[in-house]
């Protein structure tokens, strides 16, 4: 049963929006889970993504099942590589890097991961992943060994998104990368949202209410906050975004 995919598609069909946070396992201690879970559960967050471009230890294998036990929202893997496939999550974003030309990230790693995922019991979310220039090189750009789509080329992003949809991908994720200097432009988000019918996830550089509102109005179905949450789990943004989403 594709429960989480159905949940995301239902949001879009009803004209509603979603809010996800991205947790980097390297930056979260197991001892901090109870307090963090209480904040997440109280904040009206819809999805919790876990992963990163480069993990320095095996903590993800402990954190994922522990998070799932204490969180209300589903825990979804956001894997930067094969080592981040951790049993115990509710689902995994099965990311195909359609903005780049690295064959391993388009299909190669997926072939290796497929039997593991078949056996895992996790819901698999086929996702077209698009890296967008965010004003500076990020870990995602470096580790993927690909060029991001230029910030001022919405037509390239729109055509890339259309190709992903026609290939059968179920979700699109436009990302500026961790520590992005600027958000993806509203012109590009609007172009992509207008070119496809599948749900659109947008992350990277979202640090305040004004940015979040502009991205939602431009056509993002789910927005993702990572660095701002890591910097301050009690940031006003954690209340501002659910309040914005409630208006749709």
């Amino acid at each position: 049963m594709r429960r989480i995919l159905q949940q995301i598609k239902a949001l879009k069909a009803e004209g509603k929006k979603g809010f996800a946070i991205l947790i980097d396992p390297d930056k979260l201690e197991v001892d901090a889970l109870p307090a963090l879970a209480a904040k997440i559960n109280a904040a009206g967050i819809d999805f919790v993504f876990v992963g990163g471009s480069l993990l320095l230890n095996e903590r993800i294998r402990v954190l994922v099942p522990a998070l799932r036990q204490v969180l209300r929202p589903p825990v979804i893997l956001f894997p930067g590589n094969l080592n981040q496939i951790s049993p115990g999550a509710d689902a995994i974003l099965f990311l195909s890097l359609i903005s780049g030309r690295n064959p391993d990230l388009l299909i190669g790693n997926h072939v290796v991961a497929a039997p593991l995922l078949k056996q895992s019991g996790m819901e698999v979310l086929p996702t077209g992943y698009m890296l967008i220039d965010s004003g500076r090189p990020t870990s995602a750009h470096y580790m993927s060994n690909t060029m991001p789509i230029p910030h001022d080329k919405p037509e390239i992003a729109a055509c890339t998104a259309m190709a992903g949809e026609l290939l059968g991908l179920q979700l699109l994720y436009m990302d500026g990368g961790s520590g992005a200097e600027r958000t993806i432009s509203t012109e590009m988000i609007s172009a992509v949202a207008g070119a496809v019918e599948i749900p659109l996830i947008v992350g990277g550089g979202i640090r305040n209410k004004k940015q979040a509102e502009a991205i939602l109005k431009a056509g993002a179905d789910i927005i993702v906050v990572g660095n701002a949450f890591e910097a301050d789990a009690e940031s006003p943004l954690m209340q501002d975004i659910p309040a914005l989403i409630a208006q749709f």
Side-chain angles (χ1 to χ4, degrees), residues 20-29 32-33 36-37 40 45 47-53 55 59-60 63-64 67-68 70-71 73-79 84 173 178 224-227 229-230 233:
I21 59 165
L22 174 59
I23 294 176
D24 184 340
D26 281 339
K27 299 176 182 177
L28 177 61
E29 299 291 342
L33 279 183
L36 179 67
I40 292 172
I45 292 165
F47 309 99
V48 175
F49 297 164
V50 181
S53 299
L55 300 188
R59 193 180 300 156
I60 190 170
L63 285 175
V64 167
L67 282 167
R68 195 179 180 197
V70 295
L71 291 179
V75 176
I76 301 172
L77 292 179
F78 177 69
Q84 295 179 33
Y173 192 140
S178 178
V224 184
V225 171
N227 280 36
F229 179 77
E230 290 171 359

Side-chain angles (χ1 to χ4, degrees), residues 3 10 58 64 70 76 82 85 103 127 129 140 168 188 199 212 217 229 240:
R3 178 178 62 85
E58 294 290 309
V64 167
V70 295
I76 301 172
L82 288 168
I85 298 177
T127 305
Y129 187 57
M188 182 177 286
K217 287 183 175 179
F229 179 77
D240 289 342

